[in-house]
Structure formats: C-alpha cells, structure tokens
Amino acid sequence: MAVIPMKALLESGVHFGHRTNKWDPRMKPYIFTERNGIHIIDLQQTSKLLNQAYNVIRDAVSNGGTVLFVGTKRQAQETVAEEATRCAMPYVTERWMGGMLTNWSTMHARIEELERLEKMRDNNELDRLTKKEGLMIGRQITRLTTRLSGTRTMKRRPDLIFIVDIGREEAAVHEANLLNIPIVAMVDTNCNPQEIDYVIPSNDDAIRAIKLLVAKVADAVLEGKAMRKEEEGEEKAVEEAGLRQEKSARRAPKVVEVDEELEDKALLGEATLAKMSAAREDTVVAEVPAAEKEEQNTPAKPEESGEAKAE
C-alpha cells in the first residue's frame, strides 16, 4: 500500500519539475514527460521511492537513531520546524553552519556555551556587568539561538539526514557524504541524485508539496518511536518475569533428604555440645539423691522366717 495516494501527490503539485532548459540530465530516469516547457516527474517512481524512504526512516528510528531535518529555503523553513518539533527531532532552518557534522565537537561546545549564557541571563547575573558587556552577551545569545535552536537537543551526530532541497544544501550533503551518513532528500529535476542515498523525486519549491512529504517523514519517525516503545516494553516484561522467577527460587526452602539419622556431633558445634553435656551431668546429679531418698522412705518387707514356713 502506498504511503501517500497518487491523487494526493497530484493535488499537491509534486509532479511539477523545473523548465526543460534548467534540468540535470542525471534526473532523466525520474522524468515522465515534458509539457509546456516544464518537465513532469514520474509519480509512480515517486510513490515507490517514498515508500522505501519511509521504511528506512522508520527502521532507523526504531533502532534508536536520530533524524536531522534540513530545510533553509523560505518555502520550507516553517514546515520543517513544525514537523521536526512534532516528532521531537533536531532541525536546521537557518543557514547551514560549516562543520555542523564534520566538526561536531566544536558545534556541541557552542551549544553548551549558549546554555551557559542563558543561565547567566535567567539568574540576573548580567546586571552585575557593565552595560556594554551585557549588550554584547545578549546579542551573542540571540545569534546562537537563531542558528542553533533546532539542534540544541542533539547530543551526537545524526544517524540519518532528511533534506528538502539538495541544490541549496550542498554543504550539508558534502559533510554527510564525508561521514557516510545516509541522506533522504526531495530531489527536483535540476539536482544531482547521485549524491543521495534515498531519492524522492518531487517538486521542492511548492509549499503544499513540501508540507505533504515532510509531514509523512515525521509520521515515519513517530511510527519508529512507537515500535521502539513496544520492543522496550516487551523486553522489560521479560526481564521482570525473569526477576520474579529468581526471587521465587531464592525464597523456596531447600529440602535435604537424609537417609540415616545423624548424631549430634555431626550437626552441632563444639560449644553447643559442651553446654549440652554439662546440662546432662547436672540432671544426673539431681536425679541420684532423689532416688536414694525414695529408697529410705520405702518400708522394708518382712522376711518370711523359717518358722512361718514350717507352720
């Protein structure tokens, strides 16, 4: 089943490419025909490749991966920011900063610097500085927030990058290829598809087309997260069942079968045996005088004399 119906693709204008005099010959396999000097994209291939990209994004997220949304052109900025926020993924909607991926340690340090400066501002520590210093720090906070607001939650390099217009994001494509990070991109008829791992032939200028495809990419991310939660829930249930079995095994009393009765020496310690022997001696000493006293109080039986026998 198609991720997006063919009718929705047609209504959104996904099939409209650029003018025939502004095309890239490497996009020829994805072009259906020409009409009024404009190339028409083959929507059957778009639907097929979109399904493939959808599955790739979903599986990457279900395995714990991160997808970076990139779209700095005016038609895509708002949509990319909204959809990336909806699926809780990082995004870049302002100018791509050189070294965003290849020099990630420095970029991460700038993000930490932004958090430090914002903490100073929130704690009113800027009031202790001079007016000029406070203004300079405020401008720095504004500049860093504008450029890094979408990547503040990104703690490491992304596992996948989704790009709206690869012709405009050449730097992002170059850095991703250097680091072998897979790229999923909307590719128009004037772009080079050979640098992209997962191509989605589409109009990348129409706002409706951008909204349709970017929203579907965000849906793939959400589906991948749902799958990961289900797997984690199943693993947690299995672990809890194993822990319960271990606890029950620990609590179960151990039954020792003894064929023959063991003597006290085999079961008790030396101190306990000494106490028991002392107690037995006291008992014997107490029983002996009592037995002698009973013998003294008992009257002796008269012995039968010989005379009695004679009678």
Side-chain angles (χ1 to χ4, degrees):
M1 183 178 178
V3 175
I4 300 178
M6 193 73 67
K7 183 179 179 180
L9 295 174
L10 283 169
E11 292 176 350
S12 301
V14 175
H15 58 291
F16 289 116
H18 284 271
R19 292 188 175 275
T20 55
N21 59 351
K22 294 183 178 180
W23 76 306
D24 192 316
R26 289 167 288 194
M27 281 294 295
K28 185 177 181 179
Y30 307 105
I31 295 175
F32 178 70
T33 186
E34 174 189 345
R35 183 177 299 173
N36 298 328
I38 296 176
H39 279 131
I40 304 300
I41 297 173
D42 188 357
L43 290 184
Q44 290 185 353
Q45 294 196 51
T46 300
S47 180
K48 178 182 177 181
L49 295 173
L50 178 61
N51 291 346
Q52 181 183 2
Y54 185 94
N55 295 332
V56 168
I57 294 171
R58 180 195 61 195
D59 295 340
V61 176
S62 65
N63 294 328
T66 304
V67 180
L68 176 63
F69 288 66
V70 181
T72 61
K73 63 194 311 181
R74 288 185 300 173
Q75 300 95 313
Q77 284 180 336
E78 184 178 356
T79 301
V80 169
E82 290 178 355
E83 296 299 333
T85 303
R86 180 168 69 90
C87 62
M89 285 292 167
Y91 61 90
V92 176
T93 56
E94 299 297 328
R95 183 180 66 86
W96 178 270
M97 299 180 66
M100 178 74 74
L101 300 178
T102 55
N103 194 15
W104 170 245
S105 59
T106 301
M107 299 304 300
H108 186 61
R110 300 308 298 165
I111 293 173
E112 293 179 345
E113 176 68 10
L114 172 60
E115 294 176 352
R116 186 184 70 83
L117 295 177
E118 287 183 343
K119 188 176 181 181
M120 291 178 58
R121 182 192 60 189
D122 297 338
N123 294 334
N124 296 326
E125 295 183 10
L126 299 182
D127 297 339
R128 303 175 185 176
L129 305 176
T130 62
K131 185 176 181 179
K132 183 178 180 180
E133 291 175 342
L135 289 173
M136 292 178 64
I137 293 177
R139 292 171 184 171
Q140 188 175 1
I141 291 174
T142 303
R143 183 172 63 256
L144 292 176
T145 302
T146 302
R147 297 181 179 179
L148 301 175
S149 59
T151 57
R152 295 184 61 174
T153 59
M154 192 167 63
K155 304 301 181 183
R156 57 183 176 85
R157 291 189 181 95
D159 301 280
L160 197 68
I161 299 179
F162 172 72
I163 302 176
V164 172
D165 185 356
I166 61 174
R168 187 183 182 90
E169 313 298 343
E170 292 181 358
V173 173
H174 180 65
E175 291 188 22
N177 288 330
L178 287 176
L179 298 174
N180 295 323
I181 299 176
I183 302 175
V184 179
M186 296 173 59
V187 181
D188 210 334
T189 57
N190 64 339
C191 299
N192 177 16
Q194 295 180 355
E195 298 179 347
I196 309 303
D197 299 281
Y198 303 97
V199 177
I200 304 176
S202 170
N203 181 0
D204 58 9
D205 292 323
I207 296 178
R208 294 179 62 186
I210 294 173
K211 285 185 177 181
L212 182 65
L213 295 183
V214 175
K216 191 52 62 176
V217 171
D219 292 340
V221 172
L222 293 174
E223 184 176 345
K225 287 186 175 182
M227 293 173 59
R228 184 172 60 188
K229 287 182 180 179
E230 291 178 359
E231 293 177 357
E232 291 177 353
E234 292 176 358
E235 293 177 358
K236 188 175 181 181
V238 172
E239 291 179 359
E240 290 178 354
L243 291 174
R244 285 196 296 268
Q245 291 179 357
E246 290 181 2
K247 290 181 180 179
S248 61
R250 292 174 183 175
R251 294 177 181 175
K254 294 182 179 180
V255 179
V256 181
E257 295 182 358
V258 181
D259 296 336
E260 299 179 357
E261 293 185 358
L262 299 177
E263 297 181 357
D264 292 344
K265 293 181 180 180
L267 299 175
L268 303 178
E270 296 181 358
T272 305
L273 291 173
K275 292 181 181 179
M276 291 178 64
S277 61
R280 289 174 182 173
E281 292 177 358
D282 295 340
T283 304
V284 172
V285 172
E287 289 178 354
V288 169
E292 294 177 354
K293 187 174 182 181
E294 288 180 358
E295 292 179 358
Q296 293 177 0
N297 294 333
T298 303
K301 294 181 180 180
E303 296 180 358
E304 293 181 355
S305 60
E307 297 176 356
K309 293 180 180 178
E311 294 178 358

